[in-house]
Amino acid sequence: MSAAKLGDAAAFGALYEMYAARVLGYVRGLGVPDPEDTLGEVFVSVVRDIGNFHGDREDFRRWLFTIAHRRAMDAHRVRSRKREDPTDPLGMPDGGAPGDDFVDGVVDRLGLGSRARHAVEQLTEDQRAVVLLRIIADLSVAETAEVLGKQPGAVKTLQRRALAALRRALILMAVSS
Amino acid sequence: MVMFVRSDEPSLLEPGDLGDQLRELRDELCVAPDEHVRAAHLAAIDAAVMDAAAHRMPRPEYPSRRTRVFALTAAATIGVLGITGGMAAAGTLPGPAQREVARVADAVGWEIPGHPGASVHVPASDAKPGRKSPSASTTTSVHGEGRSGKQTPAATNGASDTTAPTGPVTSPGNSGTAPGQTGTTPGQTGTTPGQSGSGSGAPGNSGNAPGQTNSSPGKSGAAPGLTGMAHGNAANAPGNSGIAPGSSGSAPGHNKGVQGADTSVTG
């Protein structure tokens, strides 16, 4: 961390190797249209703003996912604006939720498709962010609240409702299957 | 993949309930980027590192906004004070402003035209009642009397105040004595003709018009022809001397001692 703060490119490379998969999984789970681009933007932001960071490794993880969350929200806003622009050929409405096409592509490409992933897609944006930060970034409730800019009590409520929704969705999937 | 283990709170990934499904979800999403994506990202990171290093280089320092504002304000203040001071020294400011500046300057010992310390008070008692001008008993400024035409002390007091302090300041011919307003009762001052205005030194500053030398015939003891009229009394308008013929100590024909001095009186 100290080497990265001194501007060592190799240190930033090591941080990328350590956290890239988790950051990519988080932005994927949030349904960002182009998660690889967002991942690159996140680490470029880390390089530019590392001078403002103070803390240890745990703090860096919270700081890194804060950047990732904001970049994901920015990507969602850009996508929403493109959809609202009728002259944008890339913004043609597809009728699906943000990121659905990407998730479907990943599922098709990797041959994966757990019921849990389909269940997570049915959560609200905040519920999804809480669950993903808890299981991917391994953040505590307080850290998750700090990343999302919410109170810990609100995060606990979101988590409780998210888990309840997941249980219902999994039960429904099991019954339907 | 790096695992983060926390012990302060129960993890959602613990076996049982939804733990298995959530762990499956995490493994499903957290897939490392492709090699070409990774290479592109590392290249972007290197570029960002170099760019950040370039931005960390010291930049030339410019004065801050606060410093610039202070300098401009100071320059404007100095400029205004300089211009005002110059105009005040030249006496070209408007009246109230000139007086105010002169008052302030007088407090620090500077002599600027228009301040109260440079004025001369003319006591009303010196003027003849009923004949003085409205401004005769007021404080008048020495400077600019030539323009204002007000009375000088020497002129007001006739020849009695022969050593008027501001006599040298008065320019020749500017005594401005209003004919008939000298307020000097003939015979009161007892000034010997020929001595009037001599203290001022300047020719023509006596302010005594012929017949105003305060020497009543027979009282002053001045011999006719010794009225001492200096050259340059032309400021006294002929006919305005207020001297009744015959009352002047200087009867025509007796001023032969001062040839040419009566030229302005006659008529």
Side-chain angles (χ1 to χ4, degrees), chain A residues 116 120 131 135 163 166, chain B residues 12-13 18-27:
Chain A
V120 165
V131 170
I135 67 173
L163 295 179
L166 284 175
Chain B
L12 298 180
L13 302 176
L18 294 174
D20 295 335
Q21 286 86 354
L22 292 177
R23 191 179 301 108
E24 184 182 359
L25 171 68
R26 184 196 64 188
D27 295 340

Side-chain angles (χ1 to χ4, degrees), chain B residues 99-110:
Chain B
R99 281 195 295 274
E100 189 65 21
V101 172
R103 184 185 62 78
V104 173
D106 185 58
V108 297
W110 291 349

Side-chain angles (χ1 to χ4, degrees), chain A residues 16-17 22 114 117 138 167, chain B residues 2 4 17 28 38 41:
Chain A
Y16 178 84
E17 300 292 349
R22 288 180 175 268
S114 65
R117 187 183 61 79
D138 198 25
R167 288 191 195 95
Chain B
V2 180
F4 306 112
D17 197 12
E28 195 175 306
R38 175 179 167 276
H41 286 172

